[in-house]
Amino acid sequence: MKTGAKVLIEGLLRQGTKTIFGYPGGVVLPIYDVLYDSPLEHILVRHEQAAAHAADGYARASGRVGVCLATSGPGACNLVTGIATAYMDSIPIVALTGQVPTSLLGNDAFQESDIHGITMPITKHNYLVSRAEDLPQVIAEAFYIASTGRPGPVLIDLPKDVSTGEVPEGIEFPTSVSLRGYQPTVKGHPRQIERAVDLMKRAQRPLLYAGGGVILSGADQELLALAERLGAPVTTTLMGLGAIRGDHPLNLGMLGMHGTAYANYAVTECDLLVAIGARFDDRVTGRIETFAPNAQVIHIDIDPAEIGKNKPVDVPIVGDVRQVLAQILARLPPRGSRTGPWLERVEHWRKTHPLVIRDDDLLHPQYVVRTLSELLDGDGVVVSEVGQNQMWTAQHFCFTKPRSWITSGGLGTMGYGLPASMGACVARPGEQVFLVAGDGSLQMNIQEFGTIAQYRIPVKVVVLNNGFLGMVRQWQELFYEHRYSYTELPQVDFVGIARAYGIDGMVVEERREVRDALRTAIAHEGPFIVDVRVVREENVFPMVPAGAAINEMIGSRQ
Amino acid sequence: MKRHTLSVLVENRAGVLSRVTGLFSRRGFNIESLAVGTSEEEGTSRITLVVFGDDREVEQVIKQLNKLIDVIKVSDLTDRERVERELALIKVAAEPGGVRAEVMQIATIFRSQIIDVGPKTVTLEVTGDSDKIDALQRLLAVYGIRELYRTGRIAVLRGQKTVMSEK
Ligand SMILES: Cc1ncc(C[n+]2csc(CCOP(=O)(O)OP(=O)(O)O)c2C)c(N)n1
């Protein structure tokens, strides 16, 4: 006989899990006892929220399922923000939580919380396991559900008596999973494909609008082929950055609230909008009634519920983005340069409304991002926190590969970046992993310096330190008459904090020091922090004010 | 805006009802009526929901329901030929000699059964569509309804069609 805890770890190994992020406690002791001499690597974080974000960062960087583990009650509740973050961005993680024994369920027992109930609206699916012998099936289903269709987090709640319960030594693990209520459509409907091809052939001003779905399904090659065959420019969402090279002539960068002016103008004037693995989020569309007002819309997504949710669609195509694009490419003949005038118009906007940095000697945050982009030159992974730091990185870093950009998009979780970059580092050993952080966000999970130091996880942290909750301050400046209500942060000695944990770093106060400091960080063997004291009241522009149409931007210079 | 009758076949697993109802409240939908019971197939249950909303909103909710792993099939029966039934138990103030005879007469007209008689009350059981039960309820209100129990509505397609026999 063997215990449920043993079956659990065996199940994880069978799923190909190599590393999990976790934090122990009473009811998971049986699981930790199995981990003690298991080949499964466990990384001890300093807060369970970080375990969930690290699993998420691991998943985004690798394309595999990330796994985190926490004890019942407070441990499980601490995972919630991380699970919700993964849910909003469709990231496959499996969260394991301990639970009080089944005999005490519902009793308000010590460290009991109904994490199954709590996480129902923020998981793709979740389980409260009641018998140890169910574990092989539950684990197989959890990984299958998390990683297929539209990916997402799955939680497994494990009462203590399930972990200690005995099952026969030879208990079988399912090799495949089939669920009646879950059969994602992966191939596009041939008739809709035909209709899409028809519209594409006729379009004069086509635009591809690519989202995180392109990254998740690995459709970057197909996206590029479609763009080139159609002669169509491509704009990406925050989650879609890296789906096409940042320096490709057809790439217009990000659209939406902080998108480029030329991307937003292109949306407004295109006659065919092809949404690919994107969901017409309000941060992208601005006032939805005026979004792509002149366009017919083709919407490709694996999740039928996204199609037509926010914007009426002319051609809905449910399916895996990669397969659908391949189906379209197989039917779409190469065509002449019918889109020449359109591309010229877009190029004109690009020239007249570029993203600019003020040209003076001050230390502008955008300059830091651009310099980092130059130095990394397409290698490695860049992670961000949330706020201005995130938007500047999205705007000014030239991403060249999928899965080279990791950020909390849908939930916008401050404190995501540091733990997520640990996960990315673990998933991609030997590669540069840079976190671009704000001084506010960094302090939301700064305890993870402990984890980074303990395991020598070589994360490089660049703080765009402005002494403000910068993005909120920007809104207060622009829309609340400069009334900076509770958004100023006192100066913190981040390098001092890092040193106390055993991590090296340096402070940068002058523009001319930036390049060398970043070089030092790149060359440094272990983790490193660069605390850059940037211009304090810089704003993210262009900006579409809340509720405006996306071609009504402020701060876009002619 | 109109009333929609949805029939949802689900795996009979712990928590499935709260998944379904939670989804409705989260998306800002009021459930007007809800009925749950086992189906013809072991291990599954059938949930019949009546909700009020415009077609596009309801379509979105149906899609969201379909995303739940434990939901096997969702059918919108709204514009289909169907039979709908609801059951009500109504306890009415009706003293012997006084209005009791009138109440019993009304019961007969509505083909409802008297299932219990007390010193001061009679209890009626009635099945039918909602309109019929509403009408009976209104009539009996005059005498004083002591207690009213209405089940959720259930619905079935007419003829040989079943919700599972179609795509
Ligand atoms: C957990 C959480 N709390 C609050 C917010 C709201 N919020 C969005 S951006 C921001 C300021 C971020 O400040 P900082 O990390 O210093 O970055 P900056 O904008 O200055 O680059 C805040 C408070 C959030 N996104 N997440």
Side-chain angles (χ1 to χ4, degrees):
Chain A
M1 300 294 269
K2 60 185 174 190
T3 63
K6 220 162 168 201
V7 174
L8 172 73
I9 301 303
E10 199 180 324
L12 295 180
L13 288 167
R14 278 171 185 265
Q15 292 295 332
T17 306
K18 296 191 175 63
T19 307
I20 67 175
F21 302 87
Y23 207 88
V27 295
V28 288
L29 278 167
I31 300 171
Y32 272 84
D33 193 60
V34 177
L35 284 172
Y36 187 70
D37 46 13
S38 162
L40 188 62
E41 183 191 17
H42 172 278
I43 289 182
L44 178 70
V45 294
R46 295 298 180 272
H47 185 303
E48 290 89 350
Q49 184 189 349
H53 289 326
D56 167 316
Y58 180 95
R60 294 191 207 219
S62 65
R64 297 192 299 270
V65 177
V67 181
C68 58
L69 166 64
T71 192
S72 65
C77 287
N78 275 346
L79 291 179
V80 166
T81 305
I83 294 171
T85 302
Y87 184 69
M88 288 295 274
D89 290 342
S90 309
I91 304 304
I93 65 171
V94 170
L96 307 166
T97 49
Q99 181 54 281
V100 302
T102 48
S103 58
L104 290 180
L105 277 175
N107 232 315
D108 302 322
F110 178 64
Q111 295 195 328
E112 177 182 4
S113 65
D114 175 15
I115 199 66
H116 184 246
I118 290 170
T119 58
M120 243 176 220
I122 53 166
T123 50
K124 186 169 170 188
H125 194 55
N126 61 9
Y127 295 88
L128 171 54
V129 184
S130 53
R131 304 177 314 172
E133 56 266 40
D134 294 341
L135 280 169
Q137 181 66 30
V138 167
I139 295 162
E141 285 184 17
F143 275 78
Y144 174 68
I145 291 168
S147 60
T148 54
R150 177 177 182 175
V154 177
L155 178 132
I156 308 177
D157 200 19
L158 300 152
K160 188 168 185 185
D161 54 320
V162 169
S163 297
T164 54
E166 305 247 302
V167 300
E169 199 64 48
I171 190 167
E172 289 208 22
F173 286 81
T175 47
S176 69
V177 176
S178 148
L179 295 164
R180 244 176 118 195
Y182 176 66
Q183 276 148 11
T185 307
V186 289
K187 270 222 146 23
H189 193 286
R191 221 175 65 84
Q192 303 294 9
I193 300 277
E194 219 46 70
R195 291 181 58 209
V197 168
D198 225 47
L199 287 188
M200 287 177 184
K201 281 187 198 156
R202 282 199 308 240
Q204 308 279 336
R205 302 187 305 279
L207 177 67
L208 309 186
Y209 148 46
V214 175
I215 311 279
L216 291 169
S217 82
D220 48 299
Q221 292 301 322
E222 289 76 7
L223 176 72
L224 183 64
L226 181 63
E228 288 179 343
R229 192 164 313 170
L230 279 178
V234 182
T235 178
T236 70
T237 66
L238 181 68
M239 304 310 299
L241 290 171
I244 177 168
R245 284 186 67 91
D247 51 7
H248 191 284
L250 287 172
N251 182 18
L252 305 181
M254 186 167 74
L255 79 167
M257 180 174 276
H258 291 297
T260 62
Y262 36 99
N264 287 348
Y265 289 150
V267 171
T268 307
E269 297 215 357
C270 67
D271 67 353
L272 175 67
L273 185 73
V274 188
I276 310 171
R279 60 188 178 88
F280 295 87
D281 178 74
D282 52 282
R283 281 288 188 271
V284 159
T285 62
R287 184 151 34 92
I288 186 86
E289 297 76 25
T290 53
F291 184 75
N294 304 307
Q296 292 198 286
V297 177
I298 300 171
H299 192 174
I300 308 169
D301 204 286
I302 190 130
D303 181 358
E306 287 303 343
I307 294 179
K309 185 176 85 174
N310 297 333
K311 164 108 186 152
V313 164
D314 298 287
V315 182
I317 310 181
V318 178
D320 176 68
V321 162
R322 183 171 175 187
Q323 295 218 21
V324 171
L325 290 185
Q327 284 174 280
I328 289 173
L329 286 166
R331 282 164 191 73
L332 188 70
R335 43 182 257 170
S337 53
R338 279 255 296 292
T339 59
W342 168 234
L343 290 178
E344 273 166 37
R345 196 161 163 67
V346 170
E347 273 324 293
H348 171 73
W349 290 323
R350 196 201 293 271
K351 286 212 183 70
T352 51
H353 296 76
L355 285 174
V356 286
I357 315 181
R358 227 169 299 149
D359 196 14
D360 53 31
D361 287 340
L362 299 178
L363 211 177
H364 296 287
Q366 301 94 322
Y367 170 76
V368 181
V369 173
R370 283 201 184 175
T371 309
L372 181 65
S373 183
E374 260 176 64
L375 293 175
L376 286 179
D377 195 24
D379 283 339
V381 180
V382 173
V383 185
S384 84
E385 286 287 355
V386 165
Q388 294 182 313
N389 60 86
Q390 177 182 37
M391 291 302 126
W392 285 321
T393 311
Q395 290 179 333
H396 295 277
F397 198 95
C398 180
F399 296 100
T400 58
K401 293 178 194 137
R403 300 194 184 280
S404 63
W405 163 238
I406 294 180
T407 197
S408 166
L411 203 65
T413 308
M414 288 173 69
Y416 169 80
L418 188 63
S421 51
M422 303 185 328
C425 249
V426 171
R428 308 255 293 258
E431 290 191 53
Q432 292 284 344
V433 175
F434 265 81
L435 169 68
V436 178
D439 48 320
S441 299
L442 185 61
Q443 292 184 74
M444 274 219 183
N445 271 317
I446 199 163
Q447 77 286 343
E448 294 311 313
F449 278 164
T451 312
I452 288 169
Q454 179 177 355
Y455 298 92
R456 302 304 300 164
I457 302 173
V459 175
K460 313 292 167 66
V461 182
V462 177
V463 195
L464 301 181
N465 188 346
N466 53 16
F468 278 113
L469 298 173
M471 185 57 95
V472 182
R473 185 209 56 73
Q474 173 171 344
W475 283 59
Q476 290 172 336
E477 177 190 327
L478 298 174
F479 311 117
Y480 292 87
E481 297 160 348
H482 283 81
R483 288 157 58 89
Y484 292 170
S485 181
Y486 301 101
T487 42
E488 189 162 5
L489 299 173
Q491 205 41 264
V492 176
D493 178 8
F494 286 111
V495 172
I497 294 173
R499 289 228 170 91
Y501 276 103
I503 299 169
D504 229 350
M506 62 197 284
V507 178
V508 170
E509 283 172 318
E510 301 289 338
R511 182 182 166 112
R512 59 187 153 71
E513 302 166 346
V514 169
R515 188 170 295 268
D516 279 348
L518 293 177
R519 280 215 183 95
T520 307
I522 291 170
H524 192 87
E525 285 264 330
F528 197 80
I529 175 167
V530 186
D531 177 4
V532 190
R533 307 289 165 85
V534 296
V535 169
R536 293 196 63 204
E537 297 185 43
E538 185 80 46
N539 287 330
V540 181
F541 286 135
M543 175 178 196
V544 178
I550 64 165
N551 59 341
E552 297 165 6
M553 286 158 283
I554 52 177
S556 162
R557 266 166 260 158
Q558 187 85 37
Chain B
M1 299 277 274
K2 68 173 178 212
R3 256 181 201 89
H4 288 252
T5 304
L6 307 181
S7 175
V8 187
L9 186 71
V10 299
E11 300 281 2
N12 201 349
R13 297 221 181 95
V16 65
L17 187 60
S18 61
R19 281 185 211 281
V20 170
T21 54
L23 197 150
F24 277 82
S25 57
R26 221 165 34 249
R27 306 255 163 200
F29 264 86
N30 273 330
I31 299 177
E32 240 179 60
S33 145
L34 170 76
V36 193
T38 52
S39 81
E40 69 282 355
E41 188 190 330
E42 210 181 315
T44 69
S45 290
R46 186 158 270 132
I47 303 177
T48 311
L49 290 147
V50 180
V51 295
F52 197 69
D54 71 30
D55 287 353
R56 203 169 144 213
E57 289 171 338
V58 173
E59 189 193 325
Q60 176 60 212
V61 167
I62 291 173
K63 286 174 168 179
Q64 295 292 345
L65 279 172
N66 269 316
K67 281 172 70 169
L68 296 177
I69 309 287
D70 287 340
V71 167
I72 300 167
K73 188 168 172 95
V74 186
S75 316
D76 188 351
L77 307 183
T78 310
D79 297 320
R80 318 288 306 279
E81 275 208 44
R82 66 186 186 281
V83 184
E84 288 194 352
R85 285 292 179 270
E86 202 180 312
L87 169 74
L89 304 178
I90 311 172
K91 185 174 287 185
V92 191
E95 307 231 357
V99 297
R100 185 166 292 190
E102 279 179 46
V103 169
M104 311 255 289
Q105 216 173 358
I106 292 171
T108 314
I109 294 167
F110 277 80
R111 294 179 202 281
S112 80
Q113 309 269 351
I114 307 288
I115 53 168
D116 185 55
V117 180
K120 296 183 169 173
T121 59
V122 293
T123 303
L124 282 66
E125 172 196 317
V126 60
T127 61
D129 58 25
S130 309
D131 287 349
K132 173 178 168 186
I133 294 173
D134 289 346
L136 178 58
Q137 192 183 325
R138 271 197 303 277
L139 279 178
L140 294 176
V142 178
Y143 306 101
I145 293 176
R146 290 280 165 271
E147 249 178 350
L148 170 72
Y149 296 83
R150 289 175 75 153
T151 62
R153 217 172 300 170
I154 54 175
V156 65
L157 291 175
R158 286 190 184 275
Q160 47 181 60
K161 282 198 183 121
T162 67
V163 295
M164 289 311 283
S165 67
E166 45 190 45
K167 267 239 4 136

